[in-house]
Amino acid sequence: MQESNFGGAELALQSALHLNPGNYEGILFLAQLRHYQKEFFISDAVFERLLDTFPERGQETAVAWHDALLTRQRFAELAGLSLRMATQHPAHAPPWIHSALFALRLEPNLGDVLDKNAAAVAALPTTVVALLRAEELGRSGSASTATQLLTG
């Protein structure tokens, strides 16, 4: 779709959602469209709205949001979402923890991200918290301390 057609498509989508505000697929498409237009403040709010409004489709929404964040290399936000999903959905925690570790390894401000998501980090299993802290220590030049944290 050409850039000039986005406005018309978005207007049509907004009109359809006004007529049917419970249209999950339409709202999801709007969130993705806004994200790809780099309107992150809006897209993040729409994804949050989807998580709140359609909790039964939370995993589906989170995966779509995850993919959008990954595509735009928004690693701090990806790590935050992944940590949150790991704690909210323990049955699906392993892939979310893996995603968080991946994002954190690519995020230059690791300590800030962990601080911002302290509640989610605290709710994770102690082995995962140790791994996150070891990553932080290793990056700050304390490799021996990180190794000690992981080995004993």
Side-chain angles (χ1 to χ4, degrees):
M1 185 178 284
Q2 293 178 351
E3 185 68 32
S4 61
N5 293 336
F6 272 124
E10 185 176 354
L11 182 60
L13 182 58
Q14 292 280 6
S15 297
L17 291 175
H18 181 71
L19 294 172
N20 183 5
N23 181 343
Y24 173 85
E25 288 80 10
I27 299 168
L28 178 62
F29 184 72
L30 178 63
Q32 292 169 324
L33 179 64
R34 293 294 191 154
H35 194 86
Y36 293 117
Q37 290 176 320
K38 296 183 180 180
E39 296 178 1
F40 302 133
F41 182 77
I42 296 170
S43 69
D44 291 352
V46 176
F47 276 116
E48 286 289 353
R49 175 179 153 210
L50 281 168
L51 288 173
D52 292 342
T53 307
F54 299 95
E56 70 282 1
R57 296 183 84 169
Q59 284 294 309
E60 180 182 353
T61 301
V63 168
W65 194 2
H66 169 279
D67 293 350
L69 293 168
L70 183 59
T71 300
R72 286 289 186 194
Q73 299 179 7
R74 297 179 62 210
F75 297 120
E77 293 82 1
L78 178 59
L81 173 67
S82 298
L83 291 168
R84 189 169 112 200
M85 290 298 110
T87 60
Q88 290 179 357
H89 302 281
H92 301 285
W96 287 117
I97 291 168
H98 179 78
S99 177
L101 287 168
F102 171 79
L104 289 168
R105 287 189 176 132
L106 295 170
E107 171 55 41
N109 301 311
L110 172 65
D112 293 343
V113 174
L114 293 178
D115 290 345
K116 183 178 179 182
N117 295 283
V121 171
L124 293 169
T126 56
T127 54
V128 175
V129 174
L131 186 58
L132 294 172
R133 294 299 173 203
E135 180 75 23
E136 185 177 26
L137 287 166
R139 193 178 295 181
S140 68
S142 302
S144 61
T145 307
T147 302
Q148 288 176 336
L149 179 64
L150 292 174
T151 58

